[in-house]
């Protein structure tokens, strides 16, 4: 009995090593492309974006889920770094702070050129894989970062933004967020407003991936229906396994499947198990589930490292991805399915977004109809460009008020 227990343990251990070794072999060829990492937010809050500050050295930084040795140990080959600014910047300094977060990502690439390579295309990611660098891309998390301006959207594209999450955890004047589905926020756009639709069309034209993490179900459906390219959920899990409104429900997973879109699974325990504790195997359950409902080509990884406070046992930092791959090998995922989840699915979606952009750049002019002035919240904004007539026509009662002096003028009386 004693002997057989040891034998079993030995076999299990050897098998475990084999899965892990197999995982590493696969990841040497096809490293992880992770959809969402908040290290830039950590750099802001811990060091006010000072990369030369004592303690902010990315080779030795220990208080974060992410540093250079951990990225290397985790076989991370590409990262969408989150240019995130909180909702309380909306109608204030959101654009300035977003620019600063993009700047700190670009400076990471300049400061650590042997590790990071800032890139902007699917082909660039493959090239960085060849060079053994961590391809670094900018994902802007929250539509409030464009301050309801198509001009700002285009400018951020030119600065390297390759996905925009349509909302964070607040409505924008043109798209509703997930808190509408919990009843904590009121629906304002019933998904996407007319201006929101023009934002989506312009993202298609420019070649910016539409990210539906954080949006309401109505916004998910509106964007999936409208977009002429596949979309992503950069860091969301399966609602059926954890009924959190940040997760993706089954009917939306069907739309993901139908459109060739992608769900990059979030590791935050609250979205994995709907509690403060979770395990690596529960994350694998989400991957299994999305694969079963939407297909293996719809599965990706968006760990949300450094954006969350609680992570599953076994996935404590960015060095742990190979253990997750080992778990999937144990669950009989094929090598092709695993490579899809790691990188190929995102590369396919990104290439499709680029293709739609190339096709529409020549046939479609840039969107340029401004948002109605009365949709903008109170702030210190000036109103250049908004002549009285177009804005007044959008305010019930205002037109009449503006016409009153005319109507009452002696010439007309
Ligand atoms: Zn997020």
């Amino acid at each position: 009995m004693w002997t057989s227990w040891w034998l079993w343990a030995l076999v299990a251990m050897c098998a475990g090593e084999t899965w892990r070794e197999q995982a590493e072999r696969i990841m040497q060829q096809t490293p992880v492309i992770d959809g969402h990492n908040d290290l830039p937010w950590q750099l802001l809050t811990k060091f006010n974006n000072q990369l030369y500050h004592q303690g902010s050295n990315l080779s030795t930084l220990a208080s974060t889920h992410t540093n250079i040795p951990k990225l290397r140990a985790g076989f991370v080959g590409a990262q969408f770094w989150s240019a995130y600014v909180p909702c309380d910047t909306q109608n204030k300094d959101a654009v300035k702070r977003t620019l600063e977060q993009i700047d700190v990502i670009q400076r990471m690439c300049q400061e650590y050129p042997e590790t990071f390579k800032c890139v902007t295309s699917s082909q660039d990611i493959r090239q960085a894989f060849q060079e053994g660098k961590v391809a670094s891309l900018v994902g802007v998390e929250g539509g409030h970062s464009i301050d309801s301006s198509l001009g700002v959207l285009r400018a951020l594209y030119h600065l390297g933004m390759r996905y925009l999450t349509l909302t964070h955890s607040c409505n924008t004047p043109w798209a509703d967020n997930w808190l509408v589905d919990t009843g904590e926020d009121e629906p304002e756009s019933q998904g996407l407003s007319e201006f929101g639709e023009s934002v989506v069309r312009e993202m298609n034209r420019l070649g910016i991936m539409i990210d539906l993490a954080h949006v309401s179900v109505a916004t998910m459906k509106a964007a999936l229906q409208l977009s002429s390219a596949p979309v992503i959920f950069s860091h969301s899990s399966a609602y059926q396994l954890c009924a959190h409104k940040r997760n993706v429900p089954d009917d939306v997973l069907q739309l993901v499947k139908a459109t060739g879109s992608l769900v990059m699974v979030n590791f935050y325990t609250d979205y994995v198990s709907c509690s403060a504790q979770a395990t690596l195997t529960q994350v694998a359950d989400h991957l299994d589930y999305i694969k079963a409902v939407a297909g293996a080509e719809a599965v990706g990884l968006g760990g949300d490292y450094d954006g969350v406070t609680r992570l599953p046992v076994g996935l404590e930092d960015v060095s742990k991805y190979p253990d997750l791959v080992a778990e999937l090998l144990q669950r009989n995922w094929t090598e092709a399915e695993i490579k899809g989840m790691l990188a190929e699915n995102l590369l396919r979606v990104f290439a499709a977004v680029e293709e739609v952009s190339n096709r529409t750049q020549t046939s479609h002019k840039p969107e340029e109809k401004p948002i109605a002035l009365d949709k903008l919240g109170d702030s210190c904004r000036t109103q250049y460009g908004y002549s009285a007539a177009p804005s007044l026509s959008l305010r019930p009662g205002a037109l009449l008020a503006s016409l009153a002096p005319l109507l009452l003028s002696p010439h007309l009386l």
Side-chain angles (χ1 to χ4, degrees):
M1 186 64 191
W2 186 86
T3 317
S4 67
W5 182 85
W6 266 106
L7 201 63
W8 178 85
L10 194 67
V11 168
M13 219 165 72
C14 290
E17 278 179 17
T18 305
W19 300 128
R20 170 74 197 207
E21 281 167 10
Q22 210 178 323
E24 291 190 11
R25 179 180 55 73
I26 293 171
M27 296 177 88
Q28 264 154 16
Q29 297 163 5
T30 308
V32 181
I33 302 177
D34 182 275
H36 196 85
N37 184 302
D38 273 303
L39 181 63
W41 175 248
Q42 296 296 326
L43 294 174
L44 173 64
T45 52
K46 285 181 163 55
F47 308 109
N48 211 355
N49 282 343
Q50 298 172 95
L51 292 183
Y52 311 124
H53 187 281
Q54 196 184 16
S56 68
N57 186 323
L58 295 184
S59 298
T60 53
L61 186 61
S63 58
T64 50
H65 305 140
T66 312
N67 65 24
I68 289 171
K70 288 173 184 170
L71 287 165
R72 292 303 193 188
F75 292 87
V76 177
Q79 182 65 62
F80 283 84
W81 300 108
S82 176
Y84 160 71
V85 300
C87 278
D88 63 357
T89 65
Q90 179 153 235
N91 297 324
K92 294 184 203 153
D93 55 353
V95 173
K96 173 224 178 206
R97 286 200 170 275
T98 304
L99 294 177
E100 288 172 344
Q101 293 316 96
I102 293 174
D103 170 70
V104 83
I105 294 165
Q106 290 170 345
R107 286 191 294 121
M108 274 168 50
C109 294
Q110 285 160 14
E111 188 57 22
Y112 300 93
E114 68 293 344
T115 300
F116 301 119
K117 184 177 183 185
C118 276
V119 304
T120 53
S121 73
S122 60
Q123 193 50 46
D124 288 347
I125 295 177
R126 290 192 190 277
Q127 179 63 33
F129 282 1
Q130 297 298 319
E131 295 170 20
K133 304 265 175 76
V134 181
S136 295
L137 299 102
V138 175
V140 172
E141 188 181 21
H144 57 283
S145 282
I146 69 165
D147 199 15
S148 299
S149 164
L150 293 159
V152 172
L153 176 76
R154 282 185 281 272
L156 293 181
Y157 170 81
H158 291 303
L159 291 176
M161 172 176 72
R162 286 299 177 271
Y163 78 64
L164 172 68
T165 320
L166 297 185
T167 70
H168 192 254
S169 299
C170 54
N171 290 343
T172 66
W174 46 271
D176 290 346
N177 86 104
W178 66 279
L179 290 169
V180 164
D181 295 332
T182 67
E184 288 165 83
D185 278 350
E186 290 294 318
E188 292 175 52
S189 300
Q190 322 305 324
L192 290 170
S193 72
E194 192 185 321
F195 182 81
E197 291 176 353
S198 73
V199 171
V200 167
R201 282 193 300 271
E202 188 65 358
M203 289 172 72
N204 281 163
R205 198 189 66 85
L206 290 165
I208 303 168
M209 285 184 282
I210 292 152
D211 178 21
L212 301 180
H214 284 278
V215 305
S216 72
V217 171
T219 309
M220 293 176 193
K221 290 179 177 172
L224 275 155
Q225 201 189 3
L226 178 64
S227 176
S228 43
V231 307
I232 62 168
F233 291 78
S234 70
H235 57 305
S236 297
S237 301
Y239 184 83
Q240 188 65 28
L241 298 191
C242 164
H244 194 295
K245 299 293 184 187
R246 266 287 279 105
N247 285 339
V248 188
D250 277 6
D251 56 342
V252 175
L253 285 179
Q254 293 301 337
L255 295 173
V256 165
K257 183 186 174 106
T259 54
S261 296
L262 180 65
V263 179
M264 307 176 92
V265 167
N266 192 317
F267 299 171
Y268 184 38
T269 63
D270 295 41
Y271 305 159
V272 171
S273 64
C274 284
S275 76
Q277 282 92 38
T279 61
L280 178 150
T281 57
Q282 287 176 303
V283 173
D285 291 344
H286 281 265
L287 296 165
D288 264 343
Y289 185 82
I290 293 166
K291 180 181 151 200
V293 175
E297 53 291 332
V299 186
L301 300 173
D304 213 354
Y305 283 111
D306 283 310
V308 299
T309 44
R310 291 183 291 274
L311 285 155
V313 174
L315 287 171
E316 292 84 358
D317 60 53
V318 300
S319 72
K320 306 288 186 175
Y321 295 102
D323 292 329
L324 185 57
V325 171
E327 172 67 20
L328 298 177
L329 286 166
Q330 252 177 301
R331 295 182 182 210
N332 293 321
W333 282 50
T334 67
E335 198 165 315
E337 288 169 346
I338 285 174
K339 287 182 173 175
M341 176 200 70
L342 289 170
E344 294 298 336
N345 293 339
L346 186 281
L347 289 169
R348 182 200 74 240
V349 169
F350 197 1
V353 167
E354 291 166 340
E355 206 272 316
V356 166
S357 169
N358 289 338
R359 193 152 35 84
T360 50
Q361 289 272 348
T362 45
S363 56
H364 292 57
K365 290 207 181 332
E367 298 284 331
E368 61 176 15
K369 187 180 177 191
I371 197 165
L373 182 57
D374 66 345
K375 293 283 182 198
L376 297 176
D378 290 337
S379 78
C380 54
R381 286 188 197 85
T382 55
Q383 298 178 4
Y384 297 117
Y386 283 97
S387 63
S391 62
L392 287 170
S393 66
L394 296 160
R395 267 184 287 185
L399 183 60
L400 197 62
S402 72
L403 290 176
L406 275 177
L407 294 171
L408 296 171
S409 73
H411 298 290
L412 290 173
L413 282 176

